[in-house]
Amino acid sequence: MEGLGFYGFGALTLLGALLMVTSRNPLHGVLWLVVSFLGLSGLFGGLGAHFLAAIQILVYAGAILVLFLFVIMLLNLRPDDVERMPTFSLRGGVGGFLVGVVGFCAVVGSVVMGTGAFAKPVAGLPPLEAGAADVAIPLFSTALLPFEVVSLLLLAAIVGSVALTKRRLP
Amino acid sequence: MGPELAPFAWAILFAPLAAAGVAGLLVRRRRGLAAAVAVSGMAVGLLCTLYLLARSLGAGEGEPTGFVHNVDWIRAGAFTARFGVVADRLSLLMALVVTGVGTPIFVYSIGYMHGDEGYGRFFACLSLFAFSMLGIVLSTNLLQTFVFWELVGLSSYLLIGFWFGKDSAVEAGKKAFMVNRVGDFGFLTGIILLCWSAASLPSFAGRNPLDFADLAAFYRAGGYEELAKASPHLLGLPVPALAALLVFCGAVGKSAQFPLHVWLPDAMEGPTPVSALMHAATMVAAGVYMICRVFFLFEPFPEALHAVAWIGGLTAFMAATIALVQTDIKKVLAYSTLSQLGYMVMAVGLAGATAGMFHLTTHAFFKALLFLCSGSVIHACHSQEITEMGGLRKAMPSTFWTWIIGTAALVAVPGTAGFFSKDEILAAAAHGEHASLPLLVVGLVTAGLTAFYMLRCTALTFFGEYRGHGHPHESPAVMTLPLWFLAVPALLVGWLGFPLLFHGHPWFQGEFGITGVKVHEGPHEFHLPLALVGTAFAAAGGILGWMVFGARRIDAAAWKERLLPLHTLLSRKYFLDEFYLWLVRTVQQGIAECSDFFEQNVLIRGVVDGLSAAVKASGRALRELQTGSIHTYVRFALAGSVLVVAWVILSAARGGNG
Amino acid sequence: MTPLLAALPPVTVQHYLLLSGLLFAVGLVGVLFRRNIIIVLMCLELMLSAANLAFVAFSRVHGNLQGQVMVFFSIAVAAAEAAVALSIIIALYRARGGVDVEDAAEMKG
Amino acid sequence: MEPVRFLGLSPLSWVVAIPALTTLGILFTPSAAKNAVRRIALAGMTLTFGIAIWILVQAAGDVGLDASARVLPRLAQKVEWVRELGISWNVGADGMGAAMVFLTSIVIFAGVLVSWSVEDRTKEFYLSLIALVTGVFGVFVSRDLFWFYFSYELAVIPMYLLIGIWGSTNKEYASMKLTLYLTTGAVCALVGLLMVYFRAWAFLKTPYPSFDLDYILMARDAGAFDATWRGMDFQVFAFPFLLFGFGAIAPMWPLHTWSPMGHAAAPSAASMLHAGVLMKLGSFAILRIAVPALPEGAVWWMPVVAVLCMFNILYGGLVAIAQKDMKFIVGYSSSSHMGYVLLGIASMTSLGINGAIFLMFAHGVMTALAFALIGFFYDQTHVRTIPDLGGMSHQIPFIGTAFVFMSMASAGVPGFANFASEVMVMFGAWQGGLKWQAVVAVLGIVPTGVYLLRAVKGAFFGPRNPRWDGLRDAVTPFQRLPFLFLISVLLLFGFWPRLLTDVIGESADELAGLLARAGGG
């Protein structure tokens, strides 16, 4: 069951991500990202982070991506016909190479550091179920200060967005 | 006579300064008052000098004939510079010369400067000069001498360039100041060298290394040998001898000795009373006076004395030859002054201080007289060229007769002041301790030349037909009275030194002044044969001069043609001015321009602007990275994270291995 | 189904990390090569999510909630970022009539 | 020892507080009330001048007294500010400090009077001027390294504004260059200061570090700076940071090029302060901090200074000869004269250091006079280059006469304070074994004379030039006051140098003794 969850949701997430990146129409892109995030939410659930799984759907897939959709429709963006994925170019080659290096490093890194608990099957780890109440405890105790700071940040973001999008009178 | 009389000595010094301050700052615009203040300042100096002189002459047996009074001027660490007055026989004699010649010249200036715009300023500067000069005279130590030495230079600069609207006058003042500064460079170096070489000796402890009296006492006790031994030879000379020669540099500058004599003839650009006071009687004599004061520095070192004597002799001869062809009456007198100063310096180098001092005293009177006469002539003719004068004998009788007296004294007609002093110098060259035949010849030839150019000048000015414009007239009494006032000492002052007359007086015996200048070691007699030879040379020169220019038996123009290269050499003053001009215009200016070029191009444009350009260029290069494209930034971020990851992995790997 | 699953190796935390890395790489490629600024922004969100996945995985390994708390903050910051970025996009669109990132190069030095 | 306080502050604190209050007063005066601004500035500076005289008199009275009977130590004041960093408001004075405070008050007093004619943004001008001088006073009285550095920077920044706004001739370039030079120097010095600060703390192991100079000196006596640091003698390593950092403002060759340019571009009063006191901050800081904190480093590095100062003296003089702009002549002459100051310090003798401090004073007054005079005629002629000027003494005799006085003072003619101090430096140099440098210093009087006489002749002498017929001379006593004031100060201390040398003497003795011990051990 564990394996089914990981591979199923993992495939969904990866597929959604790939389709989002390659989509010409940003509208489609958003929808594919929603798919990807749904998969991600499943993965969270599989790891016992039930609260985050819910948040991922509610806030990310629900609120943020809807905001994207809203903006795209507001701007009435059409599928971009000039833009295309580069087939091959020097820049693309260098970039792809760098990405490959990063990926390689990440893999090698995880292998090198992947000793002990990292190599054990997840199913064998002690169970961890984190509902809203469980996450709330550290959030409002040890992490209270960052929490407040983040709330300030959100406030600033609101003010900033309003200021940026406000139409200036001629 | 003791320090209780110090207020009088201080008064000699500061009365002229006070007068300068009052005349220059407070009453500059009230002409009569300014002049009166200046003259009375000088008169106070003269009276105090006479009083102290009287007290000194009247000092009883065993009683000191002088005193010293000092205050500390600068104290820093172990160093003390003092400021004081010395009233010994030497300084009083010199003070008498300065105030005695100065007072009539001040009076004369009232008439001469009449109507000049800067009347008050003139008297302020003149008083400042008197202060400076008296400061040298009354100084008790080397540094104080240097202080007033420079001040004399300053007042000379101000007075030569008095008519600051005239470019030539300003240039002459500048030249005087700068040439003197070159000499002063040597002087101050010498003072510093002497000061610290002496102070470093343990046996010198407790004395002040700048003080004349302390140094002289140290030398007299044989300290110079210790000094010479304590330090290695510098430039091939023992250190004390080198110090003496460096100090002599100061005198070379101020007393206009070769090769620093070039400023003196140019200094005639100043008003005539200035020429008379400074450039004949006092300032230029300061060098000679100073050597007399520190004669103890030279005494133990014959090589130093020889250098002094030869420089004097060379100056005497060279200046006399240049005077032969000058046509400006003041220039003739200026070169004559140079020549006489050379005599004095030669005398000091040959025999010792007294002969030089004696000639200084007599010369001060008769040369000041001659200058004032020339001023009177210039005042009358509105010209300084003797080619535009002539026949003034009838128009200006007072001036003529006083001029004749002065000329007689200068030419050394027996019985006049110059005769005795010049005789003493010749005697020193012939019989003295450091007698030298070549210098005796130089002295005799110069005596002949002196007579020649003076007779030439007299003949062209006062005899023959008047060749100028307008009607010359006798000067007012305020100018002629000082002439007569000076004519008396010009005739008579020489008798003071006549060995047969006053030699017996104790005042003239023993050590003369605090630094122990010796007077007449052993019986110094009047040398009749030498006096006759000297007079013969003078007479020959005089007769020749009269034949050419007075009686016109010899054709001057023809001889000029015949000796044209020589004439050119002389009238161009041996091309020394050209040489110095080249030195200043080309060498000094060249070095300055090079430095400036280095400053502007290498330092500023090269290093400084180069650095700033490098910073700017690196900024410009880095700016290229700022493409404004998000993609570029992401790539950089990526590259950075790759590096970080790589570093983490590599260090982890290394940590794992070791 | 079961035999197929059994044939696969058991799921470890490394698997999650590998998946996180792949997601991150996909997002990075999008940021690097897409010119539509909205897509770029979405790719950024994807990269953030990839990091979130890793955090949750670590949380699981260590058996505490530190990682999840971090993800919570990360989502909040992502929300703020998205809001501001979209506002900027709107302003940019108004000014230039397009959303191509290469057009907005005013900051070029 | 009863501390001397007036309204709770020591007179030394007042010396800083009054200019600071004056700037506040000017700040709250309307810009249109130009005369009010001027009067406030004058009143404040007159008061400061009075206090400075009082301090100098106390310092003179202290000479030769027992430590317990002295007034000067009773003026010290220390108020803690930030304990954790060891910053406190800490002022104190010795003879050297008293002399420098006196100098600053003289120059700013004259500067305020000379700037009376500034009409363009008068309020801001006086604001910058007095802010600058607040910093300068702060440096001279501070015994806390933090405030010292703070004041040092405070003195530099207004100069940027003064030159940049009210200057002339290439003012942007000059002000930028000056500020960059001086702040770079200051940062370099800051590195040295922090090295000393942390090392003292690490050695003494007190709970908190301290910027107090006495703390640093205590650490020095305890041997905090004796050990080696990465294989180098710490003192030898740290001293050049302070030396060259402060030397840039001194200005030591070849770091001098900001100075003539800055002089030339600055308005009169700013030039006066700049050359009169700002340049002295460098040598003062070397004597106040670098040498006492790191005497062995000083002994190691002073021969280098002794070589550099020869360049200052001769090279500066020669470059001055080649200049045509009057302000550049005086500017390079300043750099030449500062060579004498550095030489005096490098001699490491009491006589030389005393002469150096005295010369800082004398040169400050003299050069202030020079720039005041040049500014006076430049405001009317708008020309400063020699071939264009000439013959102005016919029209403005008072300024011409004052200029001759100034030149003579600068040329080291006796009777002016400059002579006495330069002679002290020359004698001190020889005494300290720097014989060639002493000869060079004496030789330096020749080019000095050349360029000054050339300047006098070029500007004031020569035939009457009708072009200058419209020039106004300083005729009213109020116009003449600053010039007469500065000349009288020069003459007073020139005739009687002991008024100042005795006061400075003990500071100089102390420094020389310290260096002698450091050299011997």
Side-chain angles (χ1 to χ4, degrees):
Chain A
M1 200 49 217
E2 179 72 43
L4 184 66
F6 173 75
Y7 287 112
F9 285 124
L12 192 66
T13 310
L14 205 52
L15 192 68
L18 281 170
L19 288 170
M20 180 275 282
V21 169
T22 51
S23 63
R24 295 206 163 179
N25 190 335
L27 202 63
H28 298 163
V30 177
L31 294 175
W32 285 123
L33 192 58
V34 171
V35 171
S36 178
F37 280 178
L38 287 176
L40 204 58
S41 166
L43 289 174
F44 285 173
L47 285 168
H50 302 303
F51 173 68
L52 284 185
I55 292 284
Q56 180 76 12
I57 292 173
L58 284 175
V59 176
Y60 241 135
I64 299 180
L65 293 184
V66 167
L67 189 65
F68 272 84
L69 274 181
F70 192 68
V71 168
I72 291 164
M73 290 192 284
L74 180 80
L75 301 183
N76 196 19
L77 289 176
R78 279 164 291 119
D80 197 343
D81 22 39
V82 276
E83 194 202 13
R84 57 196 160 20
M85 290 296 287
T87 49
F88 181 78
S89 70
L90 186 62
R91 291 166 79 187
V94 172
F97 177 71
L98 286 176
V99 172
V101 168
V102 171
F104 177 75
C105 291
V107 173
V108 171
S110 62
V111 171
V112 167
M113 299 193 293
T115 53
F118 286 94
K120 283 182 192 156
V122 176
L125 291 169
L128 180 76
E129 299 292 321
D134 302 302
V135 178
I137 292 167
L139 205 53
F140 291 104
S141 56
T142 48
L144 186 62
L145 183 67
F147 182 81
E148 296 293 342
V149 171
V150 165
S151 61
L152 264 179
L153 177 74
L154 285 168
L155 179 68
I158 294 167
V159 174
S161 312
V162 172
L164 279 166
T165 48
K166 198 182 69 171
R167 268 185 200 281
R168 281 171 194 85
L169 293 173
Chain B
M1 175 164 181
E4 75 279 356
L5 292 175
F8 288 96
W10 287 109
I12 299 176
L13 185 55
F14 280 104
L17 180 69
V22 171
L25 300 174
L26 301 180
V27 297
R28 192 160 45 88
R29 299 195 183 285
R30 304 178 61 184
R31 309 165 67 88
L33 199 53
V37 166
V39 171
S40 43
M42 204 61 190
V44 167
L46 177 60
L47 291 176
C48 290
T49 309
L50 286 173
Y51 175 70
L52 288 178
L53 206 55
R55 290 289 299 258
S56 177
L57 279 167
E61 199 70 26
E63 202 186 338
T65 54
F67 62 84
V68 176
H69 186 243
N70 272 316
V71 290
D72 285 355
W73 193 53
I74 300 176
R75 279 194 307 216
F79 175 85
T80 306
R82 288 181 185 154
F83 192 94
V85 281
V86 51
D88 61 359
R89 288 173 287 179
L90 186 63
S91 70
L92 286 176
L93 188 63
M94 188 67 189
L96 181 66
V97 172
V98 175
T99 53
V101 179
T103 310
I105 291 175
F106 271 51
V107 174
Y108 176 91
S109 305
I110 298 175
Y112 189 86
M113 297 303 287
H114 183 77
D116 194 277
E117 212 180 321
Y119 199 70
R121 183 162 58 91
F122 180 79
F123 280 101
C125 292
L126 216 54
S127 297
L128 178 67
F129 166 73
F131 163 68
S132 318
M133 189 62 213
L134 288 166
I136 294 182
V137 173
L138 298 174
S139 164
T140 62
N141 61 68
L142 281 166
L143 190 64
Q144 191 190 350
T145 305
F146 184 78
V147 164
F148 287 101
W149 204 253
E150 286 268 298
L151 279 178
V152 164
L154 166 70
S155 27
S156 157
Y157 166 74
L158 293 174
L159 283 165
I160 297 171
F162 178 75
W163 287 309
F164 58 80
K166 228 167 88 185
D167 270 331
S168 57
V170 178
E171 279 299 333
K174 218 170 98 179
K175 188 171 177 184
F177 193 80
M178 287 323 301
V179 172
N180 270 303
R181 277 239 139 162
V182 173
D184 292 352
F185 159 64
F187 191 12
L188 188 54
T189 312
I191 294 176
I192 295 178
L193 174 64
L194 187 65
C195 168
W196 292 123
S197 333
S200 63
L201 292 181
S203 52
F204 197 77
R207 296 187 171 115
N208 188 323
L210 293 171
D211 208 272
F212 287 142
D214 284 358
L215 273 175
F218 180 67
Y219 265 65
R220 228 173 303 156
Y224 58 89
E225 282 170 5
E226 209 178 327
L227 207 54
K229 256 181 259 158
S231 37
H233 281 225
L234 275 175
L235 309 174
L237 281 170
V239 164
L242 181 67
L245 281 180
L246 284 170
V247 168
F248 177 63
C249 278
V252 168
K254 203 115 295 180
S255 282
Q257 296 299 298
F258 176 85
L260 299 181
H261 63 277
V262 289
W263 64 272
L264 184 59
D266 289 33
M268 297 303 134
E269 289 287 347
T272 300
V274 172
S275 309
L277 180 57
M278 305 169 69
H279 308 125
T282 55
M283 168 178 166
V284 289
V288 180
Y289 171 78
M290 193 266 287
I291 310 174
C292 294
R293 184 51 98 190
V294 297
F295 190 70
F296 62 90
L297 291 180
F298 296 87
E299 228 171 355
F301 303 102
E303 57 270 56
L305 279 176
H306 279 146
V308 172
W310 271 105
I311 285 188
L314 191 58
T315 312
F317 177 74
M318 205 185 67
T321 54
I322 298 176
L324 296 177
V325 297
Q326 294 299 313
T327 55
D328 180 322
I329 184 166
K330 276 175 78 178
K331 286 270 166 79
V332 174
L333 292 179
Y335 281 103
S336 151
T337 307
L338 277 181
S339 168
Q340 298 302 310
L341 286 168
Y343 255 114
M344 296 174 209
V345 171
M346 186 172 91
V348 175
L350 280 175
T354 36
M357 246 345 256
F358 186 30
H359 194 56
L360 186 160
T361 314
T362 57
H363 173 260
F365 287 101
F366 63 71
K367 189 52 70 69
L369 172 62
L370 284 172
F371 263 107
L372 293 189
C373 288
S374 79
S376 174
V377 168
I378 293 164
H379 198 70
C381 300
H382 303 292
S383 166
Q384 303 197 7
E385 292 295 312
I386 45 179
T387 48
E388 295 174 13
M389 296 172 186
L392 296 177
R393 165 173 100 251
K394 289 163 201 142
M396 313 177 71
S398 280
T399 308
F400 170 66
W401 283 112
T402 46
W403 171 277
I404 289 298
I405 292 171
T407 305
L410 175 56
V411 172
V413 172
T416 60
F419 171 74
F420 296 102
S421 53
K422 200 173 274 185
D423 175 68
E424 200 161 323
I425 295 169
L426 294 178
H431 309 286
E433 206 178 332
H434 303 284
S436 154
L437 187 61
L439 283 174
L440 177 64
V441 174
V442 166
L444 288 172
V445 170
T446 307
L449 292 172
T450 307
F452 181 85
Y453 66 70
M454 278 319 289
L455 263 290
R456 164 179 178 263
C457 188
T458 308
L460 289 176
T461 309
F462 290 99
F463 292 90
E465 291 302 310
Y466 182 60
R467 298 178 293 275
H469 314 284
H471 298 282
H473 53 83
E474 185 57 283
S475 300
V478 73
M479 287 169 72
T480 49
L481 275 181
L483 297 184
W484 286 110
F485 184 85
L486 283 172
V488 178
L491 266 182
L492 301 179
V493 79
W495 292 93
L496 275 179
F498 187 50
L500 307 180
L501 202 61
F502 287 110
H503 200 202
H505 194 284
W507 205 75
F508 288 97
Q509 281 176 344
E511 291 186 333
F512 206 63
I514 52 163
T515 55
V517 176
K518 293 191 198 87
V519 180
H520 303 307
E521 285 223 347
H524 193 94
E525 287 147 19
F526 184 70
H527 299 275
L528 191 62
L530 197 62
L532 285 179
V533 174
T535 310
F537 266 88
I543 290 168
L544 191 63
W546 183 255
M547 296 294 267
V548 179
F549 296 101
R552 298 190 183 276
R553 296 283 169 77
I554 300 170
D555 185 2
W559 276 98
K560 184 180 163 186
E561 279 305 312
R562 234 166 282 168
L563 298 172
L564 195 58
L566 187 64
H567 188 270
T568 315
L569 184 68
L570 294 183
S571 61
R572 299 291 289 273
K573 307 152 198 165
Y574 296 95
F575 295 96
L576 264 175
D577 271 338
E578 279 83 354
F579 172 70
Y580 282 118
L581 209 59
W582 173 78
L583 216 56
V584 170
R585 291 264 165 83
T586 313
V587 178
Q588 176 207 292
Q589 194 65 21
I591 296 174
E593 297 287 346
C594 281
S595 307
D596 191 46
F597 182 83
F598 179 81
E599 171 86 7
Q600 304 302 334
N601 291 301
V602 179
L603 267 189
I604 295 184
R605 229 156 273 158
V607 179
V608 177
D609 289 355
L611 267 179
S612 96
V615 170
K616 273 187 193 156
S618 58
R620 220 172 293 125
L622 287 173
R623 199 169 69 175
E624 292 304 316
L625 297 177
Q626 201 81 3
T627 57
S629 159
I630 294 175
H631 289 153
T632 323
Y633 300 155
V634 173
R635 273 178 217 129
F636 277 115
L638 182 66
S641 48
V642 168
L643 288 178
V644 169
V645 170
W647 183 66
V648 167
I649 291 170
L650 287 177
S651 57
R654 194 184 302 159
N657 293 338
Chain C
M1 281 292 276
T2 321
L4 182 67
L5 278 175
L8 289 169
V11 179
T12 65
V13 175
Q14 281 181 15
H15 285 77
Y16 284 96
L17 294 181
L18 197 55
L19 181 61
S20 160
L22 286 173
L23 284 176
F24 190 87
V26 170
L28 188 60
V29 169
V31 170
L32 278 175
F33 299 116
R34 292 304 300 261
R35 296 175 63 170
N36 188 314
I37 197 163
I38 296 184
I39 304 271
V40 169
L41 198 55
M42 284 193 289
C43 291
L44 281 176
E45 298 289 347
L46 187 65
M47 288 162 75
L48 268 173
S49 296
N52 288 349
L53 180 60
F55 272 124
V56 175
F58 291 140
S59 173
R60 182 77 182 83
V61 172
H62 294 299
N64 63 29
L65 295 174
Q66 301 289 318
Q68 296 195 20
V69 168
M70 203 60 178
V71 173
F72 179 83
F73 288 138
S74 158
I75 290 175
V77 171
E81 175 229 323
V84 174
L86 287 168
S87 317
I88 292 172
I89 288 169
I90 291 173
L92 191 70
Y93 185 79
R94 278 191 197 140
R96 320 198 147 251
V99 287
D100 192 323
V101 283
E102 297 293 326
D103 288 349
E106 239 83 64
M107 296 292 281
K108 180 166 167 47
Chain D
M1 282 213 309
E2 184 78 3
V4 179
R5 296 289 179 267
F6 182 70
L7 295 179
L9 285 184
S10 142
L12 289 173
S13 301
W14 278 115
V15 158
V16 185
I18 291 175
L21 290 175
T22 311
T23 48
L24 271 186
I26 295 174
L27 197 62
F28 290 113
T29 313
S31 314
K34 292 185 177 175
N35 270 327
V37 168
R38 291 171 183 140
R39 282 186 195 131
I40 291 174
L42 183 60
M45 291 310 105
T46 315
L47 197 56
T48 320
F49 180 52
I51 299 177
I53 290 184
W54 184 84
I55 294 171
L56 190 71
V57 169
Q58 301 308 320
D62 279 354
V63 174
L65 291 185
D66 284 345
S68 57
R70 295 189 170 200
V71 179
L72 228 47
R74 290 161 56 201
L75 301 185
Q77 186 168 31
K78 182 172 177 179
V79 181
E80 202 167 67
W81 198 50
V82 181
R83 194 197 309 151
E84 287 76 8
L85 297 175
I87 302 175
S88 50
W89 173 255
N90 185 358
V91 292
D94 54 0
M96 170 169 77
M100 287 298 112
V101 167
F102 184 56
L103 164 69
T104 313
S105 67
I106 289 172
V107 174
I108 185 63
F109 179 71
V112 166
L113 288 175
V114 164
S115 315
W116 216 257
S117 57
V118 171
E119 290 293 338
D120 175 32
R121 279 175 276 192
T122 313
K123 175 179 161 181
E124 288 76 9
F125 181 84
Y126 275 103
L127 210 55
S128 315
L129 198 64
I130 308 228
L132 192 164
V133 91
T134 312
V136 174
F137 278 123
V139 170
F140 288 146
V141 299
S142 195
R143 286 193 70 80
D144 182 274
L145 299 190
F146 175 83
W147 283 111
F148 189 93
Y149 187 77
F150 178 86
S151 309
Y152 193 87
E153 286 285 12
L154 180 61
V156 172
I157 301 306
M159 188 53 92
Y160 176 73
L161 300 175
L162 284 169
I163 297 178
I165 299 175
W166 291 274
S168 56
T169 332
N170 214 353
K171 60 186 179 185
E172 287 85 7
Y173 177 77
S175 55
M176 187 57 86
K177 185 171 177 178
L178 176 141
T179 314
L180 286 178
Y181 247 102
L182 298 191
T183 41
T184 311
V187 167
C188 180
L190 181 64
V191 173
L193 289 180
L194 290 179
M195 282 196 274
V196 168
Y197 168 75
F198 283 117
R199 191 144 181 110
W201 187 29
F203 190 85
L204 290 181
K205 298 190 174 65
T206 46
Y208 299 116
S210 177
F211 280 106
D212 192 337
L213 190 56
D214 296 322
Y215 179 86
I216 304 290
L217 300 186
M218 197 164 75
R220 175 203 70 198
D221 290 337
F225 310 131
D226 289 346
T228 55
W229 189 80
R230 301 214 169 175
M232 284 169 82
D233 191 331
F234 175 76
Q235 298 216 8
V236 172
F237 177 75
F239 190 77
F241 285 95
L242 296 173
L243 175 67
F244 292 105
F246 290 131
I249 203 174
M252 190 185 291
W253 193 90
L255 306 174
H256 65 280
T257 62
W258 61 274
S259 131
M261 183 124 248
H263 287 111
S268 305
S271 296
M272 289 167 70
L273 279 170
H274 174 186
V277 290
L278 210 56
M279 276 164 56
K280 277 66 186 178
L281 295 187
S283 14
F284 178 81
I286 290 173
L287 286 175
R288 171 64 89 223
I289 293 178
V291 170
L294 305 168
E296 280 153 40
V299 170
W300 202 93
W301 281 95
M302 278 311 169
V304 178
V305 179
V307 172
L308 291 180
C309 70
M310 290 204 292
F311 281 93
N312 265 83
I313 294 172
L314 268 193
Y315 173 87
L318 285 169
V319 176
I321 291 179
Q323 301 304 311
K324 301 217 159 43
D325 186 315
M326 299 288 279
K327 277 196 167 187
F328 272 98
I329 294 178
V330 183
Y332 278 106
S333 124
S334 289
S335 124
S336 169
H337 283 112
M338 284 300 107
Y340 287 90
V341 171
L342 292 170
L343 177 60
I345 297 173
S347 76
M348 301 196 281
T349 57
S350 173
L351 175 60
I353 294 175
N354 197 335
I357 301 170
F358 188 21
L359 181 56
M360 278 155 71
F361 176 85
H363 178 261
V365 178
M366 181 280 292
T367 199
L369 177 63
F371 284 112
L373 290 166
I374 294 174
F376 187 91
F377 69 76
Y378 178 68
D379 280 347
Q380 302 181 50
T381 59
H382 303 291
V383 174
R384 283 193 316 241
T385 42
I386 281 182
D388 302 317
L389 295 167
M392 288 197 299
S393 263
H394 295 278
Q395 286 93 353
I396 45 173
F398 175 79
I399 295 297
T401 311
F403 197 87
V404 172
F405 271 87
M406 183 286 293
S407 306
M408 290 306 145
S410 183
V413 167
F416 297 99
N418 303 58
F419 169 80
S421 48
E422 278 172 23
V423 161
M424 286 168 76
V425 168
M426 292 164 189
F427 274 86
W430 190 291
Q431 192 189 15
L434 306 174
K435 297 187 181 171
W436 284 111
Q437 280 87 343
V439 174
V440 164
V442 180
L443 185 61
I445 64 174
V446 176
T448 313
V450 172
Y451 62 74
L452 284 166
L453 294 192
R454 180 171 295 185
V456 171
K457 173 175 183 283
F460 289 98
F461 291 168
R464 187 187 185 96
N465 185 345
R467 186 174 164 193
W468 308 130
D469 277 349
L471 291 192
R472 280 169 291 107
D473 198 6
V475 279
T476 64
F478 186 72
Q479 280 175 321
R480 290 182 172 188
L481 178 62
F483 307 111
L484 291 176
F485 172 63
L486 293 173
I487 291 175
S488 351
V489 169
L490 284 177
L491 285 173
L492 175 67
F493 291 102
F495 268 79
W496 202 230
R498 269 182 62 194
L499 286 178
L500 213 52
T501 54
D502 282 4
V503 171
I504 302 168
E506 281 178 34
S507 313
D509 285 347
E510 202 177 306
L511 286 168
L514 191 64
L515 287 167
R517 280 196 298 282

